[in-house]
Amino acid sequence: MESALEAAINEWHASVNDGDLERSARAVGAPIVVLGPKGAGPLTPEQFAEWVERSGIKLIPRSWHPVSESLMVVEEDATWPESTAPTRVATLFRVAGEKVTASLRLPDLKSALELAYICREMAATE
């Protein structure tokens, strides 16, 4: 049986990979915190949907690494419209209320897991 954490992340992937802008906006919290090669910060669901459209990215999950009840690292194969081959990346997801509230893409699994453990420890000491 799929957990709420997995269900939210699966919905995020499905909406992004389908390029479905309305569905992408519904899959994320208000705001969603993002991190990627072009920067970091909070986006509204509408801004996130615009990014989905602009980027044309597809992220195929390859391995799942639970960190806590609300954090999961997913290793993915990423492609863009101009890609000739997939690039392996890893994304730290945070989920709250059945929506993805953070999507922090890092260049590799080790970096994503290190960030995830730091985030988990910070949350535990709030």
Side-chain angles (χ1 to χ4, degrees), residues 12 34-41 51 55 57 59 76 78-80 82 87-91 103-108:
W12 184 96
V34 298
L35 169 68
K38 294 187 179 179
W51 170 80
S55 72
I57 196 169
L59 293 152
E76 304 147 319
T79 57
W80 296 265
E82 66 276 2
T87 300
R88 185 64 51 101
V89 298
T91 303
S103 170
L104 311 176
R105 195 171 81 230
L106 292 126
D108 56 62

Side-chain angles (χ1 to χ4, degrees), residues 4-14 61 64 70-74 76 93-95 100:
L5 177 62
E6 293 167 329
I9 295 169
N10 280 332
E11 176 61 16
W12 184 96
H13 278 102
W64 295 72
S70 63
L71 298 174
M72 173 90 71
V73 172
V74 180
E76 304 147 319
F93 290 97
R94 181 183 65 198
V95 171
V100 172

